[in-house]
Amino acid sequence: MSCTARRLAASLYDLLLARRCLLCRGPSTANLCAGCDADLPALGESCWRCGVPFDFAWSGSPGHVPEERVCGACTTKPPPYDRTVAALAYAFPVPVLVQRYKFSRNLACGTVLADRLTRVLGRCPDLHADVIVPVPLHAIRQFRRVFNQADVLARDLGRALSLPVVPRILRRRRSTAAQSGLTAAERRMNLKRAFLARPLAGENVALVDDVMTTGSTVAECAVTLKRAGAGAVSVWVPVRAAG
């Protein structure tokens, strides 16, 4: 092969295999370029119990955060889970990453979400979990999707934090309608007693899902886990919507 041909082949190889940013498609040495990584909307101050951003959950003066960091709704009626840790707000371009990960099985997008959540969890030294449990899909839905996005996230977090991931602790015993498009009340009814859990002996459980919106899914999971004997149940999600 001539020098010109070798150079052409090398250029073609670089063009085809060069790493590109998942969002802007520009050259990058990581899944996201520095600019797109900086543009991801961090969640900021949010309720310690449910994770809702205080811009939406707190009715006090602008910028005021209650000392206990718990929103009015959780003060009045605490959710069945004990704490929520989230990394990103559900604002552009986060939905792009979530949709590609969830429905196009783009694992690199899931890695970005897991990395962001791992960073936040690393700043929570008081947070203790004995085991990580992903929110399960029903067997029929998992067959159609091929994989459970919460399970893959949980395994990424388990590796990063050196925690065991045990998906078999929780399972979905009946197929439910898709939550999108339902009201908060309809979501709760849709999921009523949809899960089963294996017996637990007081373990603190980290419940992992990809996105938390109204909290109906993780609430029903937390109720089921605590009935089975779990200690504290914390919810770990890379993305928290306003609800």
Side-chain angles (χ1 to χ4, degrees):
M1 183 184 289
S2 68
C3 291
T4 301
R6 282 197 297 270
R7 284 196 298 270
L8 181 61
S11 298
L12 182 60
Y13 180 86
D14 290 342
L15 178 64
L16 292 175
L17 298 183
R19 200 164 189 180
R20 298 280 174 177
C21 172
L22 292 168
L23 292 172
C24 72
R25 304 305 300 162
S28 177
T29 58
N31 286 319
L32 294 182
C33 67
C36 287
D37 185 69
D39 284 344
L40 292 183
L43 190 65
E45 287 290 346
S46 56
C47 175
W48 195 83
R49 286 295 294 267
C50 73
V52 167
F54 278 120
D55 286 347
F56 299 93
W58 183 248
S59 59
S61 59
H64 175 70
V65 178
E67 290 181 2
E68 65 275 16
R69 293 187 62 200
V70 176
C71 71
C74 288
T75 301
T76 303
K77 187 178 180 182
Y81 43 88
D82 300 278
R83 187 171 178 181
T84 298
V85 180
L88 300 168
Y90 194 74
F92 185 82
V94 170
V96 177
L97 294 173
V98 170
Q99 295 299 315
R100 288 178 183 171
Y101 174 51
K102 195 168 186 173
F103 299 111
S104 299
R105 300 189 292 278
N106 188 320
L107 297 181
C109 291
T111 298
V112 170
L113 298 175
D115 286 348
R116 277 306 183 103
L117 180 53
T118 300
R119 292 185 211 175
V120 174
L121 290 166
R123 299 195 294 269
C124 301
D126 59 321
L127 190 65
H128 175 67
D130 299 306
V131 63
I132 297 176
V133 176
V135 171
L137 292 176
H138 188 267
I140 294 174
R141 184 164 294 174
Q142 181 154 346
F143 176 79
R144 289 172 179 165
R145 284 194 186 171
V146 180
F147 85 127
N148 176 3
Q149 69 279 358
D151 183 81
V152 178
L153 276 172
R155 293 182 190 281
D156 284 345
L157 294 171
R159 282 191 294 271
L161 302 171
S162 299
L163 286 172
V165 179
V166 190
R168 295 183 301 277
I169 286 177
L170 189 66
R171 70 178 179 89
R172 196 180 291 244
R173 64 178 175 181
R174 62 182 177 84
S175 183
T176 55
Q179 292 283 85
S180 57
L182 301 180
T183 65
E186 289 170 338
R187 288 179 181 222
R188 288 192 295 271
M189 288 302 299
N190 185 44
L191 292 165
K192 197 71 174 176
R193 298 194 177 276
F195 300 95
L196 283 175
R198 291 187 174 186
L200 293 159
E203 294 93 335
N204 292 328
V205 175
L207 184 65
V208 172
D209 206 356
D210 57 338
V211 181
M212 183 175 174
T213 307
T214 64
S216 300
T217 301
V218 292
E220 188 62 28
C221 288
V223 167
T224 304
L225 288 165
K226 288 193 173 184
R227 282 177 180 157
V233 176
S234 57
V235 177
W236 296 359
V237 287
V239 182
R240 183 56 161 108

